[in-house]
Amino acid sequence: MNCPKCGAQNMDRATFCGNCGTRMEHQPQSSETPHQSYYNEAPYNQQSSQPYQPYATPPAGGSYNGGMVPPKNYLTEAIIVTVISTLCCCSPISIILGIIAIVKANNVNSDFESGNMNEAIRNSNSAKNLTLWAAIIAVILSIAGIVIALVTGLAGTYIDLLENMR
């Protein structure tokens, strides 16, 4: 369904336009009367016997974005991976990937609120992938650091043992 004000594409039963917030008017199709469709009938509130209007106005500071649910932003995961990468392995690659993931995760909600669902999904997927790669690199480099420390420690102990045997 297109918005009558801005022309943006919205879901068929959207109450408000996801782009500009204009209330969407649902017209019954030519073959149905208003009482044939569940969606076209206004249910009554039993306490006040007034028609129930679930979304009379959009919420403060935004719109319902056509009834769509925002994609997961992965912000918490990106922050955790970046902090752990900074504290444990000090890998510049995983830290940089984590920071970029945080930026992408921050863009998810702003893109969704502005009605750009495709860009919000793209940023969500980017944040997820960057967070995953930052975590994988941090784990690999941490394991490599432990192995190097063990090998050099054992080598030093072996050299000391050989010198003491002379």
Side-chain angles (χ1 to χ4, degrees), residues 21 27 63 75 111 115 128 138:
Q27 300 295 328
S63 68
L75 182 61
D111 287 336
K128 177 177 70 172

Side-chain angles (χ1 to χ4, degrees), residues 87-103:
L87 295 176
C88 295
C89 69
C90 297
S91 165
I93 296 170
S94 60
I95 294 170
I96 290 170
L97 289 177
I99 291 170
I100 296 170
I102 291 171
V103 171

Side-chain angles (χ1 to χ4, degrees), residues 6-144:
C6 70
Q9 180 68 30
N10 291 284
M11 292 175 52
D12 286 339
R13 295 293 173 186
T15 307
F16 294 93
C17 174
N19 189 38
C20 67
T22 302
R23 184 170 178 83
M24 304 291 284
E25 297 295 327
H26 297 289
Q27 300 295 328
Q29 295 178 359
S30 60
S31 64
E32 70 177 353
T33 63
H35 295 289
Q36 287 177 325
S37 170
Y38 171 78
Y39 293 105
N40 290 333
E41 292 180 15
Y44 286 93
N45 185 341
Q46 294 177 354
Q47 287 86 8
S48 65
S49 53
Q50 294 293 324
Y52 174 70
Q53 296 187 3
Y55 304 113
T57 59
S63 68
Y64 291 111
N65 207 358
M68 292 184 275
V69 177
K72 182 168 174 50
N73 62 14
Y74 297 97
L75 182 61
T76 304
E77 293 88 345
I79 291 172
I80 290 171
V81 167
T82 305
V83 169
I84 290 174
S85 296
T86 303
L87 295 176
C88 295
C89 69
C90 297
S91 165
I93 296 170
S94 60
I95 294 170
I96 290 170
L97 289 177
I99 291 170
I100 296 170
I102 291 171
V103 171
K104 293 286 188 180
N106 278 330
N107 290 338
V108 171
N109 290 342
S110 61
D111 287 336
F112 176 76
E113 288 299 322
S114 67
N116 194 350
M117 190 65 167
N118 291 335
E119 192 65 25
I121 292 170
R122 191 174 303 120
N123 281 328
S124 173
N125 290 334
S126 294
K128 177 177 70 172
N129 292 335
L130 288 167
T131 301
L132 181 64
W133 279 108
I136 290 170
I137 291 170
V139 167
I140 289 172
L141 291 177
S142 294
I143 292 171

